[in-house]
Every structure is written in C-alpha cells, then in structure tokens.
Amino acid sequence: AQSVTQPDIHITVSEGASLELRCNYSYGATPYLFWYVQSPGQGLQLLLKYFSGDTLVQGIKGFEAEFKRSQSSFNLRKPSVHWSDAAEYFCAVGARGGYQKVTFGTGTKLQVIP
Amino acid sequence: GAGVSQTPSNKVTEKGKYVELRCDPISGHTALYWYRQSLGQGPEFLIYFQGTGAADDSGLPNDRFFAVRPEGSVSTLKIQRTERGDSAMYLCASSPGSNTEAFFGQGTRLTVV
C-alpha cells in the first residue's frame, strides 16, 4: 500500500527566507507524486506534480520539488517565501494513472512571520 | 460553473440521521472523486467515478456510505445512520479524465452532534 510521511507538522519561516518542506513516500513502483496547498476557505490547489522525466519539477507560485528515488523523498522548496504562502501543504502519492486514489500525507502548516 | 461546487458548505445533523452531500463538477469533466478530511489530517480517498460508474469505491469506510452519479455529472454522497465519527470535511474533485489534473471544491463540513 502506498503511504506518505510529512515529518514536520508545523514550520515557521521569516518572510524572504528559503523554505523546504519534507516528504517521504512509500510505494512499490514508480510513484506519481504531488504537492497541494490548502488555504483557509480555499479548496486544495495543485502546486506541482512528478510523473516521470526530469526529477526537478517546477510548479506554480515559484515552488519546485525534487524527486529522489534513492531517498524515497519529494521535498518542496521555495527560495524566498512571501506572507501569502502561509497555508497548509500536503504531499501526496498516486498510482494507476496518477490522479486516481491519491494518498495524502498529514500536512505541514506553514507560518510566515514578518 | 467556473469550478467544482459543493453544497451545502456546512451541514449539522443529529446522530443517527441520514445526510446527502452534493457535488457539481466542472462541466465536461468525466472523472469525479470524493475525499474525507478529518481535523488535522490529510484528505482520505473515498470513491472515484469515471462517467456514471464507480471505478473504485475501496475507500468507503463501511456500508453506511454510498455515492451515486446517475447522469455522469452531479454526484451525491449519502451517509446513513450518521455517527459522531463521521464529522469531517468532505471534499469533491473532478478532472477531464483520470490522468489529468483534478480540481477540488471547497468542501462540505459535516458535523454530527
């Protein structure tokens, strides 16, 4: 069975600082990996995805993530955080074509301080 | 509509009652997904429709939960004999096909008292 671990429940960073959110997955084959963001009162929004190819994936809002098969990781990064990035971030893994039956992690809540 | 619409946005019901949660997907999207998100947790897969049929309902927790999509558009998640443990945010998503990006609605927050 597929699973996702997000070891950091809550992270606080200063505006303008760099950000890295950790994600480890468990899946028997080549995984389909996602990062979603959820802001209060908003639906889940896809930031980026990895299906195959280049292991460094660019997403929206200046985010990127790197797939490392040897470490079973898919960490999310942003070089300079903006106050509007404060939200909850979910890493997820899918199978059988990608978006079907996606398994989400428990999320990391990002707080941005001035 | 512009996005996935879920109604109601909030539902409070008494333990033991029956509830229906509605999802209007983006027009033309053939794939539809239901997820449940409990407080402090990530969304948990419930069921996936391709057209009118449930392609995968392995996430439904028990037989009190049922979902339909009779015309391949609107879907209804039905919960019988609700329990306090059913309290959660219920999320719906749709996509043009099963291999394309899924767009989420804002959810229905169900509270069972």
Side-chain angles (χ1 to χ4, degrees):
Chain A
Q2 59 206 47
S3 66
V4 174
T5 301
Q6 294 181 249
D8 303 306
I9 296 172
H10 189 271
I11 281 185
T12 300
V13 299
S14 298
E15 191 168 15
S18 64
L19 171 70
E20 181 167 29
L21 302 183
R22 296 183 290 164
C23 172
N24 291 94
Y25 70 89
S26 174
Y27 185 62
T30 300
Y32 296 88
L33 296 163
F34 310 87
W35 274 99
Y36 282 88
V37 60
Q38 187 176 42
S39 300
Q42 304 293 316
L44 280 161
Q45 182 181 21
L46 180 67
L47 285 175
L48 48 79
K49 65 183 184 292
Y50 171 78
F51 280 11
S52 64
D54 193 346
T55 56
L56 184 62
V57 180
Q58 301 298 321
I60 63 171
K61 304 185 180 186
F63 285 93
E64 67 178 26
E66 186 170 12
F67 170 57
K68 293 185 177 180
R69 184 187 299 275
S70 62
Q71 298 176 23
S72 297
S73 70
F74 189 56
N75 295 349
L76 181 71
R77 300 193 295 251
K78 186 169 185 178
S80 178
V81 169
H82 188 261
W83 63 267
S84 60
D85 293 324
E88 189 151 24
Y89 292 79
F90 292 94
C91 181
V93 61
R96 291 206 311 275
Y99 292 95
Q100 302 169 38
K101 199 172 182 179
V102 173
T103 298
F104 287 81
T106 51
T108 297
K109 188 164 287 188
L110 174 66
Q111 181 181 10
V112 180
I113 57 177
Chain B
V4 177
S5 176
Q6 293 187 245
T7 53
S9 54
N10 279 285
K11 175 71 176 178
V12 180
T13 191
E14 292 181 348
K15 179 176 178 296
K17 298 289 188 183
Y18 167 83
V19 295
E20 290 189 350
L21 311 180
R22 177 185 169 108
C23 174
D24 282 84
I26 294 172
S27 179
H29 282 193
T30 61
L32 186 145
Y33 315 82
W34 283 100
Y35 285 82
R36 177 171 69 174
Q37 186 175 18
S38 301
L39 204 59
Q41 301 295 315
E44 175 189 21
F45 171 81
L46 295 178
I47 186 169
Y48 153 58
F49 286 91
Q50 183 59 49
T52 60
D56 187 339
D57 65 357
S58 61
L60 294 177
N62 51 60
D63 61 6
R64 296 186 298 105
F65 288 74
F66 191 71
V68 295
R69 196 186 184 200
E71 297 178 358
S73 178
V74 172
S75 177
T76 304
L77 179 65
K78 309 180 182 203
I79 310 174
Q80 299 177 320
R81 303 183 305 278
T82 52
E83 300 177 356
R84 293 197 178 88
D86 299 334
S87 296
M89 178 74 83
Y90 288 81
L91 301 171
C92 177
S94 71
S95 64
S98 60
N99 292 341
T100 51
E101 180 180 348
F103 295 88
F104 282 81
Q106 294 192 23
T108 294
R109 181 166 297 284
L110 175 67
T111 303
V112 182
V113 297

